[in-house]
Amino acid sequence: MAADLISQLPDHVIHHILSFLPTTYAVRMSLLSRHWRRMWYSIPALKFDDYQIKEELFCNFVEQCLKHHPMGMQGDTTSVITRFELRISRCHVDSSQVDRWLSFVAQPHLKELDVNTYVFCSRSGPRYCLPRVALNLTSLTNLNLAYMKLEDCSHINLPCLKSMSLTYVDVKVEVLHNLILGCPSLEKLLIVDEQFFSSNLQISSSNLKFLHIEGDWERIQVDAINLESLVYIGDPSCDLNFASCKQLTHLSVEGGYLDCDEKFENFISGFPLLESLTLKGYDLVDIRHQYLKVLVLEKLQDLLEVKSEISIDAPSLVSFGYIGNDALLQIVMNSPNLLEANITLDSYENGHSME
């Protein structure tokens, strides 16, 4: 008989392999080897998705897994849950059940928490409200929340959190402010189509380095002195103000009105470290920047202003891209180090494009 090489692997290697699998698959893997039979009890990552198991079995499966997991921890203090993912899109589940599951995994060693409760949005009832215990995890480094609401965030303690994603989350502006204050180490923030109870969004953080915003507001104010990358996708009428972010190296804006009293070329000169700039949905503007290396311009067809010539003075530029329908547009460039240029002229009348 062939040797059982799988069983000869060290337990910590097997745990590492199983941690990349959804928990349903990890349980099935226990049939491969006698040694693996209860190995999944002590894997550090639990991942539950109701699309990977029959709807009527999902809740009981989660309950049983959480019940048996402590058995793998007996005599092994390293067998703790460090990552927990929960995605509920179609299965009927009560808020109290989700609260109980989160309370079980909300242990001091948890580092990554990913919760998506879309199923509550598909019903006529209220959205799921994240319990306070999930916002007081001192070892948590990554937090991803989707399709829920945040209410009382007056007592938040996430000192190690580095990355946070909020996707379709109902939250008041003051609640978001308190949430960010409770994350002093936060470096990366993703906000997608938040359902705010205010038309204005204000983000203030001294450690934030990467910010991605998608949604519709009247005004967005960003005060982050160490911000390196800013991406905004949203309403073209939104008033954007991020003039205090002097450390920006990457800026991408699709829609939105840049809040600057001076000409645009003078505005971007206020970001001396800027190396990459993408503008989509703007009337074409002249660009002047000494250190800019990558520039992408895309003009939408419904913009009424016609500009026959734009000037680009960027001696450090190595890559340039333009997408638009201005066949007669002249581009005057002072970029002696340019290595790559991609220009696409779209004809919206016949649906063709020319590169």
Side-chain angles (χ1 to χ4, degrees):
M1 295 180 62
D4 184 1
L5 298 179
I6 295 179
S7 297
Q8 297 179 21
L9 292 174
D11 286 354
H12 72 276
V13 174
I14 299 176
H15 291 156
H16 184 71
I17 295 173
L18 294 179
S19 67
F20 290 98
L21 299 175
T23 302
T24 52
Y25 297 160
V27 174
R28 294 170 187 170
M29 291 284 285
S30 64
L31 301 177
L32 294 179
S33 168
R34 180 177 298 176
H35 181 63
W36 283 41
R37 184 163 299 172
R38 295 192 177 186
M39 190 65 67
W40 70 270
Y41 284 5
S42 53
I43 58 175
L46 295 178
K47 304 178 182 181
F48 300 105
D49 189 332
D50 64 356
Y51 270 108
Q52 296 170 345
I53 190 172
K54 290 183 178 181
E55 183 177 349
E56 61 272 16
L57 301 178
F58 178 75
C59 291
N60 184 61
F61 178 74
V62 176
E63 294 280 356
Q64 292 300 315
C65 287
L66 296 181
K67 176 182 177 181
H68 287 85
H69 194 274
M71 298 180 183
M73 300 175 59
Q74 295 179 2
D76 184 3
T77 57
T78 62
S79 298
V80 295
I81 300 175
T82 59
R83 183 165 73 250
F84 183 74
E85 298 181 15
L86 179 65
R87 288 177 170 82
I88 313 174
S89 302
R90 60 195 181 103
C91 176
H92 179 77
V93 60
D94 294 329
S95 296
S96 59
Q97 289 178 292
V98 182
D99 287 346
R100 185 168 62 252
W101 298 341
L102 292 179
S103 297
F104 178 87
V105 300
Q107 303 299 325
H109 296 282
L110 188 68
K111 296 183 178 297
E112 299 179 44
L113 180 61
D114 189 331
V115 183
N116 183 326
T117 54
Y118 175 78
V119 67
F120 289 91
C121 298
S122 63
R123 304 175 187 169
S124 58
R127 290 193 177 192
Y128 175 71
C129 182
L130 190 74
R132 185 177 298 179
V133 66
L135 298 176
N136 287 275
L137 300 170
T138 56
S139 296
L140 200 67
T141 59
N142 292 275
L143 176 62
N144 300 316
L145 304 177
Y147 299 101
M148 63 179 63
K149 64 179 178 180
L150 299 178
E151 290 186 337
D152 183 14
C153 289
S154 57
H155 301 285
I156 301 173
N157 186 25
L158 299 170
C160 296
L161 194 69
K162 296 288 187 181
S163 175
M164 179 165 60
S165 172
L166 304 175
T167 304
Y168 298 101
V169 175
D170 284 354
V171 57
K172 295 182 180 179
V173 174
E174 57 269 23
V175 173
L176 178 65
H177 177 70
N178 291 334
L179 179 60
I180 295 177
L181 286 179
C183 309
S185 302
L186 189 65
E187 296 182 355
K188 183 177 181 180
L189 176 61
L190 171 67
I191 299 176
V192 178
D193 201 12
E194 293 274 339
Q195 303 297 314
F196 281 94
F197 292 87
S198 172
S199 59
N200 297 330
L201 171 63
Q202 183 172 358
I203 296 176
S204 179
S205 173
S206 60
N207 289 320
L208 197 63
K209 295 182 179 180
F210 305 94
L211 177 61
H212 183 117
I213 301 175
E214 295 183 30
D216 297 331
W217 293 273
E218 294 181 4
R219 179 177 175 81
I220 297 178
Q221 173 81 32
V222 179
D223 295 307
I225 59 175
N226 290 306
L227 193 67
E228 299 176 3
S229 176
L230 173 60
V231 177
Y232 171 75
I233 302 173
D235 190 339
S237 64
C238 179
D239 190 2
L240 303 175
N241 190 334
F242 51 90
S244 64
C245 306
K246 301 299 184 181
Q247 300 298 315
L248 272 181
T249 60
H250 173 80
L251 173 62
S252 178
V253 181
E254 180 179 337
Y257 170 74
L258 297 176
D259 183 13
C260 53
D261 298 328
E262 305 171 280
K263 293 183 178 179
F264 184 77
E265 55 263 35
N266 295 328
F267 173 71
I268 64 170
S269 67
F271 306 101
L273 303 180
L274 192 64
E275 296 183 354
S276 176
L277 174 63
T278 298
L279 297 176
K280 181 177 180 180
Y282 284 85
D283 289 321
L284 299 177
V285 293
D286 295 334
I287 303 292
R288 290 180 174 85
H289 199 282
Q290 183 177 359
Y291 301 109
L292 194 65
K293 295 181 180 180
V294 178
L295 175 62
V296 178
L297 302 176
E298 181 172 348
K299 183 178 180 181
L300 299 182
Q301 61 170 329
D302 56 352
L303 294 178
L304 300 179
E305 181 179 338
V306 177
K307 190 175 180 66
S308 60
E309 178 181 307
I310 60 173
S311 175
I312 299 175
D313 185 1
S316 300
L317 198 69
V318 295
S319 178
F320 172 70
Y322 170 74
I323 301 175
N325 61 337
D326 302 302
L328 300 179
L329 176 69
Q330 295 185 26
I331 302 176
V332 180
M333 302 186 68
N334 175 28
S335 302
N337 295 308
L338 190 67
L339 300 176
E340 178 185 26
N342 297 301
I343 299 178
T344 302
L345 300 178
D346 293 319
S347 175
Y348 296 105
E349 295 181 357
N350 54 25
H352 297 300
S353 64
M354 179 178 63
E355 296 185 359

